[in-house]
Amino acid sequence: MITTITFGLPALLLGAAAFWMRPRSGGAPRPSNAASTALLLIAWALAITGFNPAVQDAADTVTRDLAKLVSNTLTVGASLAFANWLLTLNYEPDEARAKLRPHLRVLALAVIVMAVAFFLTPADQRWSAPFTNTHQGQAPATLTLYTLAYVAFVGHATCCALAQTWRRSTETTWQVHRLGLKATSAGCSFVLVSLLYKVISTASGFLGVDLFPGGPRCTSLVTPRCAFSFTAPITGVLLITAGLTVPAMLWPLAKRKLTAWQRQTARAMLPLWQDITSVCPDVVLTTIGGTAEPDLLLHRRTVEVIDGILALEGHRSRAVQAAATEAVTAAGISGVEAAAVVEAAVVAGAIQAVRWGACPQEVPAPQVSGDAVREGDLRKEAVWLRSVAEQYTSKGEIVHRVAATHQPPAVDAA
């Protein structure tokens, strides 16, 4: 099982790296963080390969426990790759490179400390030596120094990654991104658990207590020692890889879904937009040549409908608003739907009033705000106006019956 995971997972990571670096159709540029993401995945692939029994056996033929130094050094390098990924995500390329340099110096210091501490420790007193495993609390101080250097560097990088990915997951409006970032945060948590194990294991050694029984090599995924030293970090890498890669693979589907929604919303708003612009043609924005993209079309239509409703403000009838409110209450309609029906009736009445040449209202009816729905956001504004437009064009009688029967007389008839 261990051999399968430590060969299979690196292959998966390398495949994910190839996905990020693949040529884009039509010569489109790669995402700005594609190279740093691929580098991160390759670094993790190398780090996990260091846990493979065959690789460890080869390293240990040189000197006892050299495999641990190799795998830990690769893990430290993967942590730096993670820090680099965050920097490229948050800063411009030149600034990101400048901020990376101090991390490189700290990485070099950590690796030097680990290597010096390792080789200063006699081979017969390292982690897998019978002496160290049978004489709790008598392990050389150099091993403690080694652990501190490793935990400090990896822990700092992981804590930064956890904080930033979790914060971004609460800010993004894309569900696929939110889930990916939360998966990445969960992966960081598993890595921190494995680091905490190292600290506790080292401290328990000083106290002469063996809290995590098991041999120096992992042969099972669930024994106490291996669950924390192998399974936890591997699970963390899997979650982080999924969090970084799966959203990128699902992005085309999410984009297609968004485009379909934009087209449907613009189409639903069309009848209301046509009637508003027929009486308020000045609200129509200058047309740009070529076929408009769905997002641009919806943006323009939303802005034009908003401007048209504002232009009709003088003809918004309080009588229509009161009658529509009474009608939706009698019909048992409530919430956002009720607000949309009332607003649609008032707008329909205002359009008819302009067409008939009616006198402006002395005290126009205020807009049914819908603030709880849109909160000043253009997308939410479009959602609100779509609901108003759907009520405006629905076959229900409330909107147009109320609008037609509560109108002031035309100017000529007054």
Side-chain angles (χ1 to χ4, degrees), residues 87-316:
L87 290 173
T88 58
L89 191 66
N90 294 316
Y91 300 99
E92 294 298 323
D94 291 341
E95 189 176 2
R97 282 192 290 270
K99 290 182 176 293
L100 180 63
R101 293 188 189 104
H103 291 273
L104 288 170
R105 289 192 287 269
V106 176
L107 169 67
L109 177 62
V111 171
I112 290 172
V113 170
M114 290 165 57
V116 170
F118 176 84
F119 287 108
L120 285 178
T121 305
D124 60 356
Q125 294 185 29
R126 292 174 187 157
W127 299 278
S128 65
F131 172 85
T132 305
N133 284 274
T134 57
H135 294 74
Q136 295 292 331
Q138 298 182 36
T142 48
L143 295 185
T144 303
L145 179 62
Y146 178 102
T147 301
L148 290 176
Y150 174 82
V151 170
F153 187 89
V154 179
H156 178 264
T158 305
C159 286
C160 289
L162 174 60
Q164 292 194 48
T165 53
W166 183 260
R167 176 176 55 80
R168 283 179 172 270
S169 73
T170 62
E171 295 173 349
T172 181
T173 58
W174 288 90
Q175 184 177 9
V176 66
H177 287 167
R178 185 163 57 251
L179 292 175
L181 288 168
K182 286 185 176 179
T184 304
S185 299
C188 292
S189 299
F190 275 96
V191 174
L192 290 176
V193 167
S194 70
L195 295 176
L196 181 61
Y197 151 76
K198 288 183 176 295
V199 174
I200 294 176
S201 180
T202 301
S204 66
F206 279 114
L207 299 176
V209 180
D210 189 7
L211 296 178
F212 305 97
R217 288 289 186 86
C218 286
T219 57
S220 168
L221 298 177
V222 295
T223 56
R225 186 183 298 275
C226 295
F228 291 107
S229 66
F230 179 82
T231 306
I234 292 296
T235 302
V237 169
L238 278 172
L239 286 171
I240 293 170
T241 302
L244 297 180
T245 304
V246 172
M249 298 174 69
L250 295 179
W251 173 254
L253 297 177
K255 181 67 175 176
R256 194 174 298 118
K257 181 179 179 181
L258 174 62
T259 299
W261 177 84
Q262 290 168 337
R263 289 198 177 99
Q264 292 167 1
T265 302
R267 193 180 303 120
M269 291 169 59
L270 180 59
L272 176 60
W273 175 85
Q274 288 175 328
D275 286 355
I276 286 178
T277 55
S278 68
V279 297
C280 302
D282 291 343
V283 303
V284 179
L285 302 173
T286 303
T287 302
I288 302 174
T291 303
E293 293 294 328
D295 58 342
L296 177 60
L297 176 61
L298 178 60
H299 188 121
R300 286 169 56 91
R301 188 155 293 172
T302 300
V303 171
E304 290 168 352
V305 170
I306 293 171
D307 289 347
I309 290 175
L310 291 174
L312 292 169
E313 185 175 9
H315 291 85
R316 294 173 61 89

Side-chain angles (χ1 to χ4, degrees), residues 9-22 34 37-38 41-42 241-242 244-246 248-249:
L9 186 52
L12 176 64
L13 294 172
L14 292 175
F19 168 81
W20 277 93
M21 295 304 294
R22 76 192 189 283
T37 304
L41 296 171
I42 292 171
T241 302
L244 297 180
T245 304
V246 172
M249 298 174 69

Side-chain angles (χ1 to χ4, degrees), residues 44-59:
W44 277 335
L46 293 174
I48 294 171
T49 302
F51 285 98
N52 185 271
V55 174
Q56 291 188 333
D57 288 339

